[in-house]
């Protein structure tokens, strides 16, 4: 066995994209100075958890972390996938943080991935599991991922700080991704969504729905926001509420936004006489604010919202050797960083052309020709 040549990287930025692309391209990486200047240097709990998740999905993976956690050696293994997998995502980041890389790895695995993920299903930092189901899955279908194989079930919800949520995810394998020409945003034809509550009054969910509908109904008639009120074991370990919304357009685009409100760490346990829990943002304000956020995303233009730009670029870059062309709104910081990592790992460069007439940006690239050579066919 020859000496392993590592791609040397520095810093903690884009850790998730770097590990994902390194795994897809079987590129060993050596990352130094991870959070080196922070008060608590080294890999964060969610980054270690992501590595452990990759370890479960692959065979012959090698992970070496130094004592301080500031240096990581990672040699990817073969993406195997498999059933009966279980992973605890912890509570430092939501399940949504893990879903994007997990889905992309699953598509190129040997066997269909069937996995149970435990942790936080909804928070204000990462996309919610609802958004993945309503918006991310339709996006994947644009690139040839079979809709009948994609499945995400929310068995229990969990919000910050103590989580307790559980989702069951099935990811089909593909031989390759299909290039797409996707520049027509279309017009918004309907609004869909879901409001949830965990361990709080169902009235809070109704208030969010009523407030959001109050804004949308002035603009279009087809608005439906479902309710999901969880109790007991299905409500996780913390109290909270939230709402996810998606605008569906005439050309099949899905533009999404979501948010969650929960008690900060420690507030739920406080029971001091004469003192009350810290008040959360009123539910009506949450619904109204998120409706405004979704309208802002629609106004930006593009075939996806700003949260999905990075995933869209990754899918285009991983396609067969053909041209993909997509339209997005103003490039998000996450989207820009993803483009840089795609260039460094896949050697794929996008042609970026602003469209002054609409304020959007058109991106075009030639796919890297990524194929699932190990996929088992029936």
């Amino acid at each position: 066995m020859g000496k392993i040549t590592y791609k040397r990287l520095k810093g903690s930025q884009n850790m998730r994209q770097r590990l994902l692309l390194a795994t897809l391209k079987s590129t060993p990486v050596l990352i130094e100075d991870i959070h080196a200047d922070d008060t608590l240097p080294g890999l964060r709990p969610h980054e270690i958890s992501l590595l452990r998740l990759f370890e479960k999905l692959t065979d012959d993976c090698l992970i070496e972390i130094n004592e301080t956690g500031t240096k990581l050696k990672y040699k990817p293994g073969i993406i195997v996938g498999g059933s009966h997998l279980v992973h605890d995502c912890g509570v430092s980041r939501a399940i949504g943080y893990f879903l994007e890389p997990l889905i992309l790895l699953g598509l190129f695995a040997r066997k269909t991935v069937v996995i149970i993920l435990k942790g936080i299903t909804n928070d204000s930092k990462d996309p919610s599991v609802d958004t993945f189901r309503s918006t991310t899955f339709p996006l994947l279908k644009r690139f040839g991922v079979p809709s009948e194989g994609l499945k995400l079930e929310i068995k229990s919800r969990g919000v910050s700080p103590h989580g307790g949520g559980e989702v069951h995810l099935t990811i089909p394998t593909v031989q390759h991704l299909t290039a797409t020409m996707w520049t027509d945003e279309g017009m918004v034809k309907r609004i869909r969504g879901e409001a949830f509550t965990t361990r709080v009054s169902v009235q809070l969910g109704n208030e969010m729905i009523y407030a959001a509908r109050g804004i949308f109904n002035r603009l279009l008639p087809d608005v439906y926001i479902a309710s999901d009120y969880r109790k007991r074991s299905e409500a996780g370990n913390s109290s909270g509420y939230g709402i996810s919304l998606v605008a569906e357009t005439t050309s099949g685009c899905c533009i999404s936004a979501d948010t969650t409100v929960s008690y900060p760490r420690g507030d739920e346990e406080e029971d001091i006489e004469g003192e009350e829990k810290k008040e959360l943002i009123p539910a009506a304000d949450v619904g109204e604010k998120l409706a405004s956020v979704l309208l802002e995303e629609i106004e930006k233009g593009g075939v996806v919202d700003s949260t999905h730009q990075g995933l869209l670029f990754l899918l285009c870059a991983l396609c067969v050797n053909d041209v993909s062309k997509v339209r997005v709104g103003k490039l998000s910081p996450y989207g820009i960083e993803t483009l840089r990592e795609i260039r460094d790992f896949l050697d794929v460069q996008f042609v970026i052309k602003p469209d002054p007439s609409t304020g959007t940006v058109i991106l075009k690239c030639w796919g890297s020709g990524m194929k699932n050579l190990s996929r088992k066919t029936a």
Side-chain angles (χ1 to χ4, degrees):
M1 184 178 174
K3 185 180 178 182
I4 300 172
T5 303
Y6 287 90
K7 182 181 181 71
R8 301 179 73 95
L9 302 165
K10 280 197 171 187
S12 57
Q13 66 273 21
N14 313 322
M15 179 72 72
R16 188 172 54 156
Q17 294 104 310
R18 287 175 169 180
L19 293 175
L20 168 65
L21 290 167
T23 308
L24 289 170
K25 290 295 289 182
S26 299
T27 304
V29 291
L30 170 62
I31 307 177
E32 299 177 288
D33 297 336
I34 301 170
H35 299 289
D37 297 328
D38 293 6
T39 308
L40 294 172
L43 286 162
R44 298 290 178 258
H46 57 272
E47 291 166 342
I48 295 173
S49 181
L50 184 66
L51 284 166
R52 298 306 174 208
L53 176 59
F54 281 20
E55 203 172 30
K56 289 174 183 175
L57 293 168
T58 59
D59 186 28
D60 199 27
C61 163
L62 177 67
I63 298 170
E64 291 181 17
I65 304 170
N66 70 349
E67 288 183 7
T68 59
T70 56
K71 185 176 178 181
L72 166 68
K73 269 188 176 182
Y74 174 61
K75 184 184 83 66
I78 299 165
I79 309 168
V80 178
S83 305
H84 311 297
L85 300 173
V86 180
H87 184 70
D88 190 337
C89 299
V91 292
S92 65
R93 291 293 288 265
I95 291 172
Y97 172 85
F98 300 84
L99 279 176
E100 184 178 300
L102 172 58
I103 289 170
L104 287 173
L105 284 187
L107 294 176
F108 292 98
R110 276 185 180 175
K111 295 177 283 188
T112 298
V113 172
V114 181
I115 187 169
I116 296 172
L117 299 170
K118 299 181 179 181
I120 295 172
T121 58
N122 302 79
D123 77 348
S124 56
K125 190 170 187 179
D126 297 300
S128 70
V129 292
D130 305 274
T131 294
F132 273 88
R133 196 161 57 177
S134 67
T135 306
T136 310
F137 283 6
L139 167 60
L140 294 170
K141 293 170 195 173
R142 283 269 177 180
F143 292 86
V145 179
S147 57
E148 60 273 11
L150 279 170
K151 191 177 179 184
L152 190 152
E153 291 181 85
I154 305 169
K155 295 296 184 181
S156 62
R157 289 193 184 270
V159 299
S160 183
H162 303 302
E166 180 177 307
V167 299
H168 292 203
L169 176 68
T170 303
I171 310 164
T173 61
V174 295
Q175 194 70 46
H176 56 75
L177 294 174
T178 308
T180 186
M181 304 295 280
W182 193 18
T183 56
D184 179 16
E185 305 144 302
M187 301 291 288
V188 176
K189 62 179 180 180
R190 62 176 170 237
I191 302 289
R192 294 291 181 264
E194 188 162 22
F196 78 90
T197 60
T198 60
R199 300 186 179 275
V200 294
S201 169
V202 297
Q203 183 59 31
L204 297 174
N206 295 332
E207 289 175 14
M208 285 187 291
I209 293 171
Y210 184 78
R213 284 183 62 97
I215 289 179
F216 292 131
N217 281 141
R218 290 178 295 194
L219 305 171
L220 73 168
D222 193 354
V223 180
Y224 177 71
I225 304 172
S227 55
D228 183 18
Y229 306 136
R230 301 286 178 128
K231 298 186 292 185
R232 301 183 181 88
S233 61
E234 290 188 354
N237 303 323
S238 295
S239 307
Y241 47 88
I243 184 170
S244 64
L245 299 169
V246 56
E248 301 175 18
T249 75
T250 51
S251 61
C253 302
C254 293
I255 310 298
S256 64
D258 65 66
T259 191
T260 299
V261 177
S262 61
Y263 289 98
R265 194 175 298 276
D267 276 15
E268 291 178 302
E269 287 77 18
E270 289 177 5
D271 189 20
I272 302 170
E273 190 174 347
E275 291 189 18
E276 295 182 356
K277 287 181 180 178
K278 181 181 176 182
E279 285 297 317
L280 299 184
I281 302 170
D285 292 354
V286 173
E288 189 174 307
K289 183 178 179 182
L290 191 73
S292 300
V293 170
L294 181 60
L295 291 176
E296 288 170 11
E297 284 287 350
I298 294 167
E299 187 181 14
K300 289 175 185 175
V303 296
V304 297
D305 52 74
S306 52
T307 305
H308 281 85
Q309 282 185 17
L311 177 59
L312 177 66
F313 301 154
L314 283 166
L315 290 166
C316 290
L318 292 169
C319 281
V320 291
N321 293 133
D322 202 351
V323 176
S324 285
K325 184 178 179 182
V326 294
R327 183 191 300 273
V328 298
K330 181 182 177 182
L331 286 171
S332 66
Y334 175 59
I336 293 168
E337 292 299 329
T338 303
L339 289 172
R340 288 175 181 154
E341 299 301 335
I342 288 170
R343 179 196 61 199
D344 293 346
F345 278 90
L346 302 179
D347 198 25
V348 171
Q349 297 208 42
F350 283 74
V351 176
I352 303 173
K353 184 180 178 183
D355 183 354
S357 63
T358 61
T360 57
V361 182
I362 295 175
L363 295 95
K364 189 163 60 173
C365 81
W366 182 264
S368 63
M370 181 81 181
K371 289 186 178 181
N372 190 347
L373 301 176
S374 61
R375 183 186 180 211
K376 288 186 176 181
T377 53

